[in-house]
Amino acid sequence: MFSKIGRNDPCWCKSGKKYKNCHMAFDEKIHSYEREGHIVPSREIIKTPEQIEGIRESGKINIAVLDYVAEHIKEGMSTEEINTLVYDKTKELGGIPAPLNYEGFPKSVCTSINEQVCHGIPADDIILQDGDIINVDVSTIYNGYFSDSSRMFLIGDVSEEAKKLVQVTKECVELGLEQVKPWGFMGDMAQAVHDHATENGYTVVRDIGGHGVGLEFHEEPFVSYVTKKGTEMLLVPGMVFTIEPMVNMGTDEFYTDGGDNWSVYTEDGLPSAQWEIQVLVTEDGYEVLAY
Ligand code: MF3
Ligand code: CO
């Protein structure tokens, strides 16, 4: 997996230091986990300090765009208007909305209401109604670096049941986040997310998950929330990925709209919530890059 670098060659992280004085021990440590049978990250998904700085700047725009949506979102507004807010603010800050034309996605943001699980397409005739819960999923490209995070918004007077779903889902991502640390495992985060959701009587969507992100919109690894502590990919400093579970009030079964080929809905029509954090694994824990 790792191409052989000589001890005295320049380190792959572009620090300018010799490999033996930089990432050689780090690579050997990863390799020892691999020998024990663990899944380990390839060097391509471990970001250099320069790349991290770029992703951090992109994340700042993503946060600012979501803050802007938070200020303006209200009952009676169309999801197309949310799309315009996202497009305009992203451009004003020097970014590009990553969803626009991504694999044919026609808009700048995903807006998913109530029983919509994810990937809802903004439209003029989708109007925010009193009692709706909506996920606004924003992703930005800035200087070639990608960021991705999403939040839920409550429109008007939301039922206690739906409010609880939104709140518990937020707690899920935050409990998952607390598990992110170097030389831990992706499954540590996953289990924390899953346990909290199921303890509250909810289900977590299995086949749509999070992802590595930074140099591309979607990178390795696939981030599941149904795996166990101590399993899945080893976490090492410099990895960047999303924690974005879709938590359902009823069944975890879902289907994709045959008309637009994007919008995902719960099979039973019960609501689904999602929050998304973009996180960096650091030397001593984590740093939130977008939320
Ligand atoms: N922001 C979504 C994610 O979290 C991206 C969906 S792809 C799109 O991965 F084309 F629908 F934007
Ligand atoms: Co994402």
Side-chain angles (χ1 to χ4, degrees):
M1 194 170 285
F2 291 106
S3 60
K4 203 73 187 150
I5 305 179
R7 299 170 54 80
N8 292 312
D9 290 342
C11 187
W12 55 261
C13 82
K14 300 193 169 71
S15 61
K17 288 192 248 176
K18 288 183 177 173
Y19 185 48
K20 68 181 179 193
N21 297 325
C22 197
H23 275 88
M24 192 171 88
F26 173 86
D27 285 352
E28 280 168 0
K29 186 165 178 180
I30 292 175
H31 194 56
S32 72
Y33 277 91
E34 193 178 21
R35 277 194 304 267
E36 287 168 21
H38 288 291
I39 303 165
V40 301
S42 68
R43 189 181 296 148
E44 291 77 66
I45 64 166
I46 300 170
K47 273 68 182 174
T48 66
E50 185 191 339
Q51 291 167 341
I52 290 167
E53 191 42 41
I55 302 166
R56 197 179 272 125
E57 290 306 310
S58 180
K60 285 180 189 165
I61 296 178
N62 219 67
I63 292 168
V65 171
L66 274 166
D67 287 347
Y68 187 64
V69 170
E71 276 170 40
H72 292 89
I73 195 165
K74 60 174 195 301
E75 187 183 338
M77 178 182 265
S78 71
T79 52
E80 181 65 37
E81 286 173 78
I82 298 171
N83 185 65
T84 303
L85 291 173
V86 169
Y87 182 85
D88 290 348
K89 195 67 182 176
T90 306
K91 286 285 174 175
E92 180 196 319
L93 297 174
I96 301 167
L100 190 57
N101 301 319
Y102 174 79
E103 293 187 3
F105 192 81
K107 299 287 175 173
S108 296
V109 61
C110 298
T111 50
S112 307
I113 301 174
N114 299 335
E115 74 280 8
Q116 240 172 358
V117 174
C118 64
H119 302 166
I121 303 177
D124 278 319
D125 60 355
I126 303 175
I127 309 293
L128 300 184
Q129 315 274 348
D130 183 42
D132 280 348
I133 60 169
I134 178 173
N135 172 273
V136 178
D137 191 341
V138 172
S139 315
T140 304
I141 314 173
Y142 180 65
N143 279 339
Y145 295 107
F146 288 76
S147 53
D148 187 8
S149 63
S150 78
R151 300 181 196 163
M152 294 297 296
F153 297 99
L154 306 175
I155 306 302
D157 201 8
V158 172
S159 72
E160 288 306 316
E161 253 192 320
K163 259 193 225 165
K164 184 182 169 202
L165 175 70
V166 170
Q167 176 59 26
V168 168
T169 306
K170 189 167 196 283
E171 291 164 7
C172 284
V173 292
E174 290 174 0
L175 288 166
L177 180 68
E178 291 305 319
Q179 294 297 317
V180 175
K181 56 181 176 310
W183 318 109
F185 297 92
M186 201 63 99
D188 306 349
M189 176 282 295
Q191 186 168 346
V193 168
H194 195 258
D195 284 354
H196 191 61
T198 53
E199 279 159 17
N200 281 280
Y202 302 139
T203 62
V204 183
V205 171
R206 305 183 76 87
D207 300 326
I208 316 174
H211 50 94
V213 55
L215 308 187
E216 303 284 345
F217 197 170
H218 297 106
E219 302 174 359
E220 291 292 309
F222 172 77
V223 178
S224 166
Y225 312 99
V226 294
T227 53
K228 295 290 173 203
K229 203 172 160 62
T231 71
E232 299 298 306
M233 193 176 278
L234 176 72
L235 302 179
V236 308
M239 282 170 73
V240 178
F241 61 90
T242 67
I243 304 176
E244 51 172 318
M246 283 141 256
V247 178
N248 294 356
M249 200 180 275
T251 178
D252 59 354
E253 299 283 306
F254 61 86
Y255 66 92
T256 306
D257 185 297
D260 70 25
N261 268 317
W262 278 102
S263 309
V264 176
Y265 295 88
T266 57
E267 192 71 60
D268 58 9
L270 289 175
S272 178
Q274 180 181 30
W275 291 80
E276 178 176 17
I277 298 181
Q278 181 176 2
V279 63
L280 164 72
V281 184
T282 62
E283 293 295 333
D284 53 8
Y286 63 80
E287 177 184 331
V288 173
L289 299 179
Y291 188 20

